[in-house]
Amino acid sequence: MAAEHLLAAYPAAREGDLARRLNRLVNSGACAEVARAIGLPEALRLDASATKVGARDSERVLGDACEALMAALYLDGGPEAARAFFRTGWRDLADSLDQEPDRDPKTRLQEWAMGLGLPPPDYVVVRAEGPPHDPRFTIEARLPGLAPATGAGRSKREAEKVAAALFLQREKIQP
């Protein structure tokens, strides 16, 4: 549905531009945003332990639930039902695609490294601790010839973003 929308809305766009726009529409954060907007968290049936650990507010859970809803609509109501849900649920996100998005720190660091002829950064888990329902990761962003930057977060992705942001800050790399 998202790809159809993009091809219709941007018929002359290049593949790379379409790929960036597609990612902005279908990433877990976007799907979770749609899930919240339509009241999906309240409709989820979760067991007590999942509710207790905050699954109802989890971006990953909400993103997955939204994707499952889209699939169910497609399978049960056909492509037009899924298209209608996409047009309604993703309207604000689709309308904002022409605004320049804030590039996340990982993207900015990778672009900077490539501009210097370096390989993409490596993100290495240096520590993982905590119970499975509440993990904490410490990750280093590494580039050859430069000191690593260390970030922490509740997911690997979050820790990688923190590490990349700290790397950018330390090296005084502007967005």
Side-chain angles (χ1 to χ4, degrees):
M1 303 306 127
E4 282 181 358
H5 168 79
L6 291 173
L7 288 173
Y10 304 97
R14 298 176 64 161
E15 181 181 354
D17 183 46
L18 288 173
R20 281 188 293 281
R21 290 171 193 255
L22 181 66
N23 183 49
R24 288 177 60 194
L25 289 176
V26 300
N27 66 58
S28 64
C31 292
E33 185 178 324
V34 171
R36 287 184 188 96
I38 65 169
L40 192 55
E42 294 79 25
L44 294 177
R45 293 180 60 191
L46 301 171
D47 67 21
S49 64
T51 301
K52 189 175 181 179
V53 297
R56 192 173 305 280
D57 298 318
S58 164
E59 188 168 289
R60 175 193 251 165
V61 170
L62 292 176
D64 289 350
C66 190
E67 288 182 35
L69 176 58
M70 175 68 85
L73 287 168
Y74 183 87
L75 292 172
D76 202 42
E80 196 47 49
R83 281 187 196 97
F85 175 54
F86 179 82
R87 282 192 300 272
T88 303
W90 276 262
R91 180 181 308 130
D92 291 342
L93 286 169
D95 289 347
S96 72
L97 288 177
D98 289 328
Q99 299 169 5
E100 183 64 30
D102 291 334
R103 291 187 334 262
D104 72 47
K106 288 180 63 177
T107 300
R108 290 188 0 243
L109 182 57
Q110 181 168 334
E111 289 172 351
W112 178 77
M114 291 173 64
L116 294 176
L118 297 171
D122 283 324
Y123 294 94
V124 179
V125 176
V126 293
R127 187 170 45 254
E129 52 196 3
H133 68 277
D134 190 23
R136 187 95 175 138
F137 296 94
T138 303
I139 291 183
E140 284 185 351
R142 297 177 180 174
L143 282 169
L146 297 164
T150 305
R154 296 185 69 198
S155 69
K156 288 180 183 177
R157 182 176 177 201
E158 181 183 329
E160 289 171 352
K161 285 176 130 177
V162 170
L166 291 171
F167 201 109
L168 292 165
Q169 184 178 30
R170 185 192 69 217
E171 298 296 322
K172 298 177 176 45
I173 302 165
Q174 300 301 317

